[in-house]
Amino acid sequence: DSGVTQTPKHLITATGQRVTLRCSPRSGDLSVYWYQQSLDQGLQFLIQYYNGEERAKGNILERFSAQQFPDLHSELNLSSLELGDSALYFCASSAQGGEAFFGQGTRLTVV
Amino acid sequence: AQTVTQSQPEMSVQEAETVTLSCTYDTSESDYYLFWYKQPPSRQMILVIRQEAYKQQNATENRFSVNFQKAAKSFSLKISDSQLGDAAMYFCAYRSGGSQGNLIFGKGTKLSVKP
């Protein structure tokens, strides 16, 4: 158990809908990262938060947004979903100078 | 911007043999960390090994070791006595030092282990 919790584990939704993925980092970790991984692909960096503030942004679509709350949990919002958004979405957290620990991922299927 | 390159999309090794996965990176920073992550078919991301840039000694974790060549910006992973359970995708990753460092991944190397 990495200590990073992602919910839900699986999500099936229709095109055009909006979903929210939730991530609870390890206790004390201030950095949260979101990644998208399509089938047989690498990890596409979406966005990073540090202590509530956006720290870095990758190739995140305008239909996607995220935030980190005062209790350090983070949410990734995906709207106007398309079939191509079907993927495994990972959240990871890290402390200063440390490696990132990954959650189990949320498997999103858009039908 | 930092980049991480894994030039071997796929590798294969015989059980009990040794295999080396390559990784190069590009950075102008002096303070950073390097990692190898393993992703088995379950798709869980598992940390295999880490290396601090300021340490000259190569990191070792049981059958896994790295060859860290800082000047060449190379960070290869050696797996000794390969086991069937080592079959997975392996990702090399770079993280800037400090508390806010981003984590950048290579595209991965798919390792197959033949019995």
Side-chain angles (χ1 to χ4, degrees), chain A residues 3-4 23-26 29 31-33 91-95 99-102:
Chain A
V4 179
C23 170
S24 294
R26 291 190 321 155
D29 285 356
S31 277
V32 169
Y33 309 83
C91 166
S93 74
S94 70
E99 58 270 34
F101 291 87
F102 282 76

Side-chain angles (χ1 to χ4, degrees), chain B residues 5 17 19 42 47-48 81 85 98:
Chain B
T5 303
E17 296 296 311
V19 64
S42 68
L47 177 70
V48 175
D81 186 25

